[in-house]
Amino acid sequence: ATVSATVPARIAAGDVRIALVRQLSSGDYFEQWLAGAQAEARTLGVRLEVSSGDGNNDKQALNLEQAVTAKADAIIVDHGFAQTVQPAIKKAVSAGIPLVAFDVDPGSPEAVALTQDDHRIAEQALGALKAGTGGNGEIVYVYVAGFAPLDRRNETWERFKKDNPGIKQVAQIGVVNSSTAAAVADQAKAALQANPGVKAIFAPYDEFAKGAALAVKELGLADRVKIYGADVSTADIAVMTETGSPWAATSATDPANVGRVAVRAATLLVAGSPVEHALTVPPALITQKGLRDAGITSVEQLTRAFPELTTPEVARVPWASS
Ligand code: SR1
């Protein structure tokens, strides 16, 4: 890191502990996000203490209570359901512990809310779906309510259907668990068999899109059913670009970059530096054609091709450049 301002004494002392309290940890998105958060913690010289509810909301709430009791210097809450995390977030705020909430409504104005631009994510993917389908046809939609980012993307989907009466949702499927892609693949197969006229699947989470891609391939429908998704990983790029892949486009941030932003925001709060109340990381639209044409096979290559996926200006740390 290039030092461009004095490191605050609180950080320079080297004993800052940031608790990262996660709802979910399995899957490409969450693994990349954590890798970015850990890398940024190393860069900034803070300790990241990671816990995961592994999809169990009570466990996540307990982990959050423990972070408050252990007087973490800052807490990052990563996903979660508002009703399970907000009571402990309130306690953290009362105890004066700075808090960053990613992809969950903290319910406390003192907390910094970090999101990806989920409406934009859905708009970009649906723009590609509209171009690919001509704005009409039967669609399978993959959604699970209660996850803030998916709920925001759902708002855009609902608006999109109103604005595009030729688009007909014939089935809604979806599950989030430790094997989301496999479960969605089974559901997608059933939905496609029940609705032979389907032209596209809107699957705005990469585990959903991977499952949908598996189903379409296994049914031999890749030439007439296309998938429009969200998120990206090196494994996703391999699925999108393989011969005959039905996954036509995805709208995504770089998850590692978002994890970095969360740690920067928490570190700034510990240092008493100003942080905007709401931080948003914008996505980019990534198409199968674009990936193939540019020969992109990894997220590292992707971020070189799309420099806007790296956002050092969001929660910029003045004493370090990253
Ligand atoms: C179950 S929620 C999954 C989403 O969280 C993050 O916002 C990722 O973009 C992913 O799509």
Side-chain angles (χ1 to χ4, degrees):
T2 309
V3 177
S4 57
T6 311
V7 180
R10 183 80 191 75
I11 308 296
D15 59 359
V16 168
R17 293 177 302 119
I18 297 176
L20 170 59
V21 182
R22 317 189 82 194
Q23 179 191 35
L24 302 163
S25 53
S26 62
D28 293 353
Y29 182 90
F30 294 102
E31 287 166 17
Q32 294 175 96
W33 196 101
L34 179 62
Q38 287 171 325
E40 192 68 286
R42 279 193 298 275
T43 299
L44 296 175
V46 298
R47 183 137 52 95
L48 200 60
E49 297 175 344
V50 185
S51 66
S52 173
D54 296 318
N56 178 330
N57 292 327
D58 293 337
K59 186 174 162 195
Q60 186 193 18
L62 197 66
N63 290 339
L64 187 48
E65 295 275 355
Q66 281 169 356
V68 176
T69 309
K71 296 189 170 53
D73 295 301
I75 298 175
I76 301 168
V77 181
D78 170 17
H79 286 70
F81 284 4
Q83 65 272 25
T84 48
V85 297
Q86 285 186 357
I89 288 179
K90 224 177 238 147
K91 288 185 196 167
V93 168
S94 306
I97 300 176
L99 195 135
V100 177
F102 170 54
D103 266 358
V104 58
D105 173 8
S108 297
E110 297 84 352
V112 168
L114 168 63
T115 57
Q116 303 170 118
D117 189 339
D118 292 295
H119 291 124
R120 189 79 194 118
I121 284 175
E123 277 163 19
Q124 288 186 341
L126 289 170
L129 181 148
K130 188 170 175 174
T133 59
N136 61 67
E138 296 186 355
I139 312 291
V140 172
Y141 175 42
V142 195
Y143 171 54
V144 176
F147 295 91
L150 304 187
D151 290 345
R152 283 189 288 270
R153 294 167 201 175
N154 182 59
E155 288 167 2
T156 302
W157 170 239
E158 291 300 331
R159 237 186 354 259
F160 179 80
K161 282 189 291 181
K162 285 202 184 87
D163 293 346
N164 295 276
I167 294 286
K168 189 160 172 278
Q169 178 184 317
V170 291
Q172 182 182 312
I173 58 173
V175 60
V176 173
N177 61 25
S178 54
S179 47
T180 298
V184 167
D186 289 341
Q187 294 180 336
K189 262 193 212 169
L192 290 167
Q193 281 164 334
N195 298 280
V198 165
K199 280 165 86 170
I201 302 179
F202 179 42
Y205 168 24
D206 62 347
E207 298 303 318
F208 293 167
K210 272 189 282 202
L214 199 63
V216 171
K217 279 185 290 184
E218 284 187 11
L219 293 175
L221 297 174
D223 51 344
R224 59 181 180 84
V225 181
K226 301 298 173 201
I227 294 156
Y228 300 87
D231 307 319
V232 75
S233 68
T234 295
D236 295 342
I237 292 172
V239 175
M240 285 181 75
T241 55
E242 72 189 3
T243 307
S245 171
W247 190 348
T250 191
S251 171
T253 65
D254 171 9
N257 175 60
V258 183
R260 282 182 175 276
V261 170
V263 170
R264 290 205 296 272
T267 304
L268 286 165
L269 292 171
V270 173
S273 302
V275 182
E276 280 175 53
H277 176 62
L279 300 171
T280 307
V281 179
L285 180 68
I286 299 150
T287 62
Q288 181 185 69
K289 184 177 181 326
L291 291 171
R292 284 180 179 160
D293 288 353
I296 292 170
T297 58
S298 68
V299 169
E300 288 66 35
Q301 292 172 359
L302 184 73
T303 52
R304 280 199 289 276
F306 288 82
E308 68 272 26
L309 287 174
T310 306
T311 58
E313 75 288 356
V314 182
R316 200 178 75 80
V317 172
W319 63 87
S321 70
S322 53

